[in-house]
Amino acid sequence: MKYYTNEVLESTKYVLYNSEHVSISDERISKFCEENKLDAQQNGDWLQKSPFPINELNENEKTHLMLAFNSLSFSYWGDPYWKVTYNNTTHQRGSWSLIATLFRAREEGIDILNPSVQSKMSKETLEYILRGNRKVPLLNERLQIINQVGTIIQDEYNSDFRNMIQETKSAPELLSVIIDKIPTFEDTASYKGKRVSFYKRAQALVESMVGLYDLSQADQLTALADYILPKKLRDEGILLYDAKLSATIDNKRNIQKGSIYEVEIRANTIWAVEKIKTNFAKKNIFLTSKEINDYLWLTGDKEKTNFHRTRTTSY
């Protein structure tokens, strides 16, 4: 079986060495590692920091909550930003807003976590589930994806995602099966004639299964190249953009999916985290890419600079 974690690092390394518009400051990485005392136990998993009673769910519910979430988790931004009010709280981060809609739907009697229901879901039902202060971006694409995921899990795994998981023993193996079996989790680009792989949503889904199913080799998963991580790394002075790219982001101009700008931002994000991990290891602080990723993501909304705007189903 081909393992896609290796592909992510190998293909993005080519971008790292050939980038024209994005670079990484090793000096700022050293300073970041001196100033930030990252601790996996103290900082915690991003999901455990969520404002929802996820730990009260049983194994089956958690598993299918994460499948639904990672199927639909992408491209929340807009003007105004998509927000969801649930239990008298307005959630302003896209991930929290999406999880809020899933909890709300369950309370309203919609079996949103059931693949058989997902496979036949109508646009009207999904739009109702995802209702907020505005229509969520890419509604049609989200409908196609939830229908696709539901149909595959229904037809090939008896409507139970756990049946796919139980066929695997490691995080890289589960990642490979997800990418091979469910087309929506394909996340690649072309850069100077080379194929570059990211697999953001697929890796995020696998990460959420590691603890539940004791999957080995989770340390082989990479950082998740999204909007928040490169924004946070730029705020820290770790990611450096040239003048033209900086102006594009600062002026909130859209960056096309698959463009040289976008690929360089995402690839350098992954390798910035790898470099941070290596720097910490020199100090005998051993962290996974996920642990660094989660710290950056959880603190990434506290900065005031802009994120890059790419309309995509990948993140």
Side-chain angles (χ1 to χ4, degrees), residues 108-139:
E108 294 175 342
I110 302 172
D111 199 4
I112 180 61
L113 306 187
N114 185 335
S116 296
V117 173
Q118 295 167 355
S119 68
K120 302 176 182 64
M121 186 167 290
S122 68
K123 180 178 179 180
E124 292 72 23
T125 298
L126 185 60
E127 184 172 6
Y128 174 77
I129 291 169
L130 300 180
R131 68 190 185 277
N133 63 318
R134 56 162 291 178
K135 181 185 292 187
V136 70
L138 300 178
L139 179 63

Side-chain angles (χ1 to χ4, degrees), residues 145-163:
I145 287 170
I146 202 67
N147 288 162
Q148 177 194 101
V149 172
T151 298
I152 291 169
I153 301 302
Q154 170 189 262
D155 294 350
E156 299 189 30
Y157 297 96
N158 197 27
S159 290
D160 194 338
F161 182 49
R162 292 175 295 177
N163 291 331

Side-chain angles (χ1 to χ4, degrees), residues 162-299:
R162 292 175 295 177
N163 291 331
M164 175 189 286
I165 299 169
Q166 289 163 1
E167 291 180 357
T168 67
K169 296 180 179 179
S170 70
E173 188 177 359
L174 178 57
L175 177 67
S176 299
V177 173
I178 289 171
I179 294 168
D180 286 342
K181 292 288 187 178
I182 311 178
T184 183
F185 288 104
E186 178 75 13
D187 178 12
T188 62
S190 177
Y191 180 81
K192 300 183 178 180
K194 303 284 188 179
R195 174 188 167 100
V196 182
S197 303
F198 299 103
Y199 304 129
K200 186 268 180 184
R201 290 193 292 123
Q203 291 200 86
L205 177 55
V206 173
E207 286 178 354
S208 66
M209 297 296 105
V210 168
L212 279 175
Y213 297 96
D214 194 27
L215 297 172
S216 64
Q217 298 177 279
D219 59 335
Q220 292 189 24
L221 299 173
T222 72
L224 307 177
D226 62 357
Y227 301 103
I228 298 298
L229 257 64
K231 170 186 173 300
K232 172 67 174 177
L233 291 166
R234 185 189 182 203
D235 292 337
E236 293 286 347
I238 293 172
L239 278 192
L240 306 176
Y241 299 160
D242 68 11
K244 188 173 180 180
L245 177 54
S246 294
T248 298
I249 294 173
D250 294 341
N251 290 298
K252 299 183 179 181
R253 294 196 291 268
N254 287 5
I255 293 175
Q256 185 177 355
K257 173 177 171 55
S259 66
I260 190 171
Y261 280 168
E262 191 222 13
V263 175
E264 289 189 4
I265 289 171
R266 298 186 78 196
N268 281 278
T269 293
I270 288 172
W271 276 98
V273 171
E274 292 299 310
K275 287 172 174 283
I276 291 171
K277 181 169 65 175
T278 299
N279 195 291
F280 271 123
K282 292 177 182 177
K283 304 174 187 296
N284 291 318
I285 301 172
F286 300 100
L287 299 166
T288 65
S289 298
K290 179 191 181 326
E291 288 163 348
I292 298 168
N293 181 103
D294 286 4
Y295 172 81
L296 295 170
W297 189 88
L298 286 165
T299 59

